[in-house]
Amino acid sequence: MAPKWRDLADRLAEQIRSGVYAPGAPLPQIRELVEAGEGSKETVHKAYKALEAEGLVTSTRGHGTVVRPRVPLKRLGIARYDKAKWRDGDEVAFIADRVASGRAYKRNEQTQTVSRVEANSLVAAGLGVSVGSEVYARARLVKEGPQPTHTLTSYYRPEHVEGTRIVDPTPGPAGRGGGYRVLYDAGYEIDHMREALFARVPTADEVQMLQLPAGEPVVELHRTTYTADGTIVEFAVGVHSASRFAWEYDFEVPDSAQDRKGQE
């Protein structure tokens, strides 16, 4: 049997998700719930702390506990990879999303761990190497303030990145312009990429790492990045909290019939 604070937290969480408590609305004061028979002060306090850990509410002195605004970040499509952002400036992809969303950011809101690993079947297929080949894995956890938004792990062939800033484990982007600028300086200018997205149920580790509310799915991203001659220079796997992003794409509509005519 779940403890009483967990039952209360689950009940309040359902009311928040169903709109009983709107974004920005205050939850009842702790003493009000105590007087209503919802449990002791400690029970209600634990329930509110659980809701805060799940990202559903925020608690501040003087304002009490309020429902977290659910305005998602824009997750840009092709615009986030504009070469002018990282080649000529210092606006790496996650920062481009924040700028487009009108949100503040700090470069150290991206942590990272760099290691050499054996490519599993997914990574091997993504990079075009044999299963078991040694590759570099650059794993990042990205936060907005204290709140995690997504993870992203980029995989590289060692011959492309050995000795570069990409394999430097210092937290934050890989220097000015990030990883794509490093590849550009090494002679591997990115030219095109393919992204695949799908939603799924998160693992227990992902629920904890991303501080996901109960029942929230994640969006998994697979990104393959190529140079103009078709060389794969990065394969990345991202796991995104579904409610914290609005995916946005802006592109020219293709006309393959006209393209074929032009080639005749």
Side-chain angles (χ1 to χ4, degrees), residues 4 14 26 34 43 57 62 103 126 169-170 188-189 223 225 231 233:
K4 191 169 184 178
E14 181 56 34
V34 172
T43 294
V57 301
R103 309 274 263 268
T170 303
Y188 300 104
E189 181 175 1
R223 181 178 73 206
T225 307
T231 300
V233 291

Side-chain angles (χ1 to χ4, degrees), residues 120 122-128 136 153-156 194 221-225 232-237:
N120 60 23
L122 174 65
V123 173
L127 276 180
Y136 271 107
T153 302
S154 294
Y155 298 92
Y156 306 92
R194 182 177 66 243
L221 162 78
H222 293 175
R223 181 178 73 206
T224 311
T225 307
I232 298 172
V233 291
E234 178 207 35
F235 175 67
V237 178

Side-chain angles (χ1 to χ4, degrees), residues 73-213:
L73 281 164
K74 288 183 180 179
R75 200 283 185 180
L76 300 177
I78 57 177
R80 74 199 306 266
Y81 304 119
D82 185 348
K83 292 181 182 180
K85 297 182 186 298
W86 53 263
R87 182 193 59 203
D88 307 328
D90 192 22
E91 199 171 297
V92 298
F94 93 87
I95 292 177
D97 291 339
R98 302 287 175 85
V99 171
S101 304
R103 309 274 263 268
Y105 64 87
K106 296 178 181 177
R107 290 178 64 84
N108 64 4
E109 287 179 329
Q110 173 182 293
T111 65
Q112 67 180 15
T113 302
V114 179
S115 58
R116 283 185 77 136
V117 301
E118 291 186 357
N120 60 23
S121 58
L122 174 65
V123 173
L127 276 180
V129 300
S130 300
V131 173
S133 298
E134 278 207 343
V135 298
Y136 271 107
R138 180 169 171 252
R140 286 93 85 196
L141 173 66
V142 184
K143 297 182 177 183
E144 185 181 20
Q147 178 65 60
T149 59
H150 65 290
T151 65
L152 185 70
T153 302
S154 294
Y155 298 92
Y156 306 92
R157 301 184 192 187
E159 63 266 28
H160 293 161
V161 300
E162 194 73 76
T164 71
R165 296 192 309 273
I166 280 178
V167 297
D168 180 349
T170 303
R176 180 175 172 80
Y180 290 142
R181 178 57 189 265
V182 175
L183 291 170
Y184 175 82
D185 290 341
Y188 300 104
E189 181 175 1
I190 67 171
D191 178 77
H192 58 283
M193 58 181 59
R194 182 177 66 243
E195 291 189 342
L197 305 169
F198 60 93
R200 61 171 174 80
V201 175
T203 65
D205 286 344
E206 289 165 348
V207 169
Q208 183 176 7
M209 183 179 297
L210 293 175
Q211 299 176 16
L212 298 173

